[in-house]
């Protein structure tokens, strides 16, 4: 058959399939994607239809496979280099307990201002009190968060006081 197409690769998602298709078309290989619309619209049928299939004419199978394999080898080498760079870069510091507690207190204070009727201001104040009692050092940007969290907690408690005890 003159126009018989053969599947050279299958993909689980449309972006990967389209990238492979564009790579082959850039090399001059005519290709098409089968089941792309089905997988995009009815993803639950993707296994039943055999995923997204990249097909090329039978005469171009070897060329297409060599292009796709060379592309995969290039990607795996660049991913390996990226992993090596990440492993070599060990100067990333994890935040201390005090910094994590300050962040948590700030987030809870903001939420307590949004949901005034919930008594979560007390939790935020307990976190701030534990920071004060522990006397562990806090980074400078977290100090600002602690001050803002305390002000937000006091503001939300004031709003609660005015709601429940109007003058």
């Amino acid at each position: 058959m003159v126009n018989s197409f053969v599947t050279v690769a299958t993909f689980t998602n449309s972006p990967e399939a389209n990238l492979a298709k564009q790579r082959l078309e850039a090399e001059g290989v005519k290709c098409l994607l089968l089941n792309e619309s089905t997988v995009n619209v009815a993803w639950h049928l993707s296994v039943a239809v055999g995923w997204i299939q990249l097909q090329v004419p039978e005469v171009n199978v070897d060329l297409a496979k060599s292009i796709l394999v060379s592309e995969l080898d290039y990607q795996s080498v660049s991913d390996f280099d990226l992993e090596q760079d990440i492993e070599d870069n060990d100067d990333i510091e994890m935040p201390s307990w005090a910094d994590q507690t300050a962040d948590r207190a700030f987030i809870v204070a903001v939420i307590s201002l949004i949901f005034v009727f919930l008594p979560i201001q007390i939790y935020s104040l307990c976190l701030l009190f534990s920071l004060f009692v522990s006397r562990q050092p806090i980074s400078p940007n977290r100090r600002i968060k602690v001050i803002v969290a305390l002000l937000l907690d006091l503001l939300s408690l004031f709003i609660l006081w005015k709601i429940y005890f109007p003058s």
Side-chain angles (χ1 to χ4, degrees), residues 102 105-107 109-110 124-125 128 144-154:
F106 176 75
I107 291 169
V110 170
S124 179
L125 289 172
L128 293 173
I144 295 170
K145 282 187 171 183
V146 167
I147 293 168
V148 171
L150 182 62
L151 292 174
L152 289 175
D153 285 336
L154 293 176

Side-chain angles (χ1 to χ4, degrees), residues 61-105:
V61 170
D62 294 330
L63 176 62
K65 285 184 179 180
S66 67
I67 292 170
L68 292 175
V69 168
S70 68
E71 187 70 22
L72 289 174
D73 288 342
Y74 173 75
Q75 288 177 353
S76 64
V77 168
S78 62
D79 290 345
F80 178 74
D81 292 342
L82 181 63
E83 289 173 5
Q84 286 296 97
D85 290 343
I86 291 172
E87 289 174 3
D88 293 342
N89 194 2
D90 291 334
D91 59 348
I92 299 172
E93 287 186 22
M94 294 297 294
S96 66
W97 172 85
D99 289 343
Q100 290 176 346
T101 306
D103 288 340
R104 190 176 302 126

Side-chain angles (χ1 to χ4, degrees), residues 5-6 8 19-33 54-68:
F5 281 78
V6 177
V8 291
L19 284 173
K21 179 183 177 192
Q22 290 173 2
R23 178 72 177 119
L24 290 177
E25 287 175 344
E27 295 292 329
V29 178
K30 189 172 138 183
C31 57
L32 59 96
L33 292 174
L54 179 62
Q55 293 192 340
V56 297
E58 204 169 338
V59 295
N60 294 336
V61 170
D62 294 330
L63 176 62
K65 285 184 179 180
S66 67
I67 292 170
L68 292 175

